[in-house]
């Protein structure tokens, strides 16, 4: 299992008592006065392997397929973040940002296909459904109840930066 966490400043009235709550079965949230701390747990997926003539050792192929499936989950989630921004952006730069967010979503979809194809070429079972992505993503959830241009630019920029970091770490 792996763990990711993030802290978000809460604007508005400070909550009463600090408490842990399960926002999903995989994310715990602790609310403190002015802060929310999120801990997201992900299981290590051991990819089912399909017989192949690829001559790399099974252990190498399995670990690479696991890694590709993990980044596939992130890429599918990044696609949904970009579409969420695309559908909900409002304001003076709507048209420009609407097109930009659409291009980001297209790029994420292309990366998803590349990652899935490579996992499959190694003999790995590709885990590319939305449920698989929701269960395994390392990205933090995209915020709801935002509509302004800057808010969506900031939120999607955070998602892109996190995705880029995960991909670079996988390369190393």
């Amino acid at each position: 299992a792996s763990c990711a966490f993030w802290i978000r400043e809460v604007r508005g009235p400070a909550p009463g008592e600090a408490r842990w709550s399960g926002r999903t079965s995989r994310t715990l949230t602790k609310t403190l006065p002015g802060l929310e701390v999120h801990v997201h747990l992900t299981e290590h997926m051991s990819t089912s392997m399909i017989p192949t003539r690829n001559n790399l050792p099974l252990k190498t192929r399995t670990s690479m397929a696991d890694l590709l499936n993990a980044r596939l989950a992130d890429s599918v989630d990044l696609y949904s973040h970009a579409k969420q921004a695309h559908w909900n952006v409002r304001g003076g730069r709507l048209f420009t940002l609407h097109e930009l967010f659409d291009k980001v979503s297209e790029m994420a979809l292309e990366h998803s296909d590349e990652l899935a194809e490579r996992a499959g070429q190694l003999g790995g079972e590709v885990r590319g459904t939305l449920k698989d992505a929701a269960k395994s993503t390392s990205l933090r959830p995209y915020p709801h109840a935002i509509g302004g241009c800057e808010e969506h630019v900031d939120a999607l920029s955070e998602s892109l930066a996190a995705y880029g970091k995960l991909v670079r770490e996988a390369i190393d």
Side-chain angles (χ1 to χ4, degrees), residues 116-156:
E117 294 288 342
R118 292 183 192 287
Q121 289 168 354
L122 292 169
E125 178 186 16
V126 177
R127 298 176 186 239
T129 68
L130 290 176
K131 283 190 178 187
D132 291 329
K135 179 177 161 184
S136 303
T137 186
S138 299
L139 299 181
R140 59 186 269 189
Y142 194 84
H144 292 283
I146 62 174
C149 294
E150 294 304 317
E151 293 171 307
H152 281 293
V153 168
D154 289 345
L156 191 55

Side-chain angles (χ1 to χ4, degrees), residues 24-162:
T24 69
S25 61
R26 312 189 62 70
T27 303
L28 296 174
T29 303
K30 179 143 185 148
T31 305
L32 303 165
L35 292 177
E36 281 183 2
V37 178
H38 303 271
V39 178
H40 182 73
L41 304 172
T42 57
E43 291 177 11
H44 172 71
M45 290 188 305
S46 185
T47 301
S48 298
M49 298 301 286
I50 299 166
T52 181
R53 293 184 181 193
N54 187 310
N55 64 356
L56 287 171
L58 178 62
K59 183 177 178 181
T60 301
R61 289 187 297 117
T62 302
S63 67
M64 292 308 300
D66 282 346
L67 185 59
L68 289 163
N69 271 314
R71 295 301 69 85
L72 174 61
D74 298 335
S75 186
V76 169
D77 195 22
L78 179 62
Y79 168 82
S80 72
H81 288 203
K83 290 310 271 187
Q84 184 72 15
H86 171 84
W87 294 322
N88 289 291
V89 69
R90 306 289 184 269
R93 297 184 302 164
L94 168 74
F95 183 73
T96 304
L97 290 176
H98 194 74
E99 283 186 338
L100 174 65
F101 296 157
D102 213 23
K103 287 179 184 176
V104 171
S105 70
E106 290 170 9
M107 176 270 315
L109 203 53
E110 288 174 17
H111 283 219
S112 297
D113 191 53
E114 287 289 327
L115 293 164
E117 294 288 342
R118 292 183 192 287
Q121 289 168 354
L122 292 169
E125 178 186 16
V126 177
R127 298 176 186 239
T129 68
L130 290 176
K131 283 190 178 187
D132 291 329
K135 179 177 161 184
S136 303
T137 186
S138 299
L139 299 181
R140 59 186 269 189
Y142 194 84
H144 292 283
I146 62 174
C149 294
E150 294 304 317
E151 293 171 307
H152 281 293
V153 168
D154 289 345
L156 191 55
S157 294
E158 285 183 27
S159 296
L160 279 164

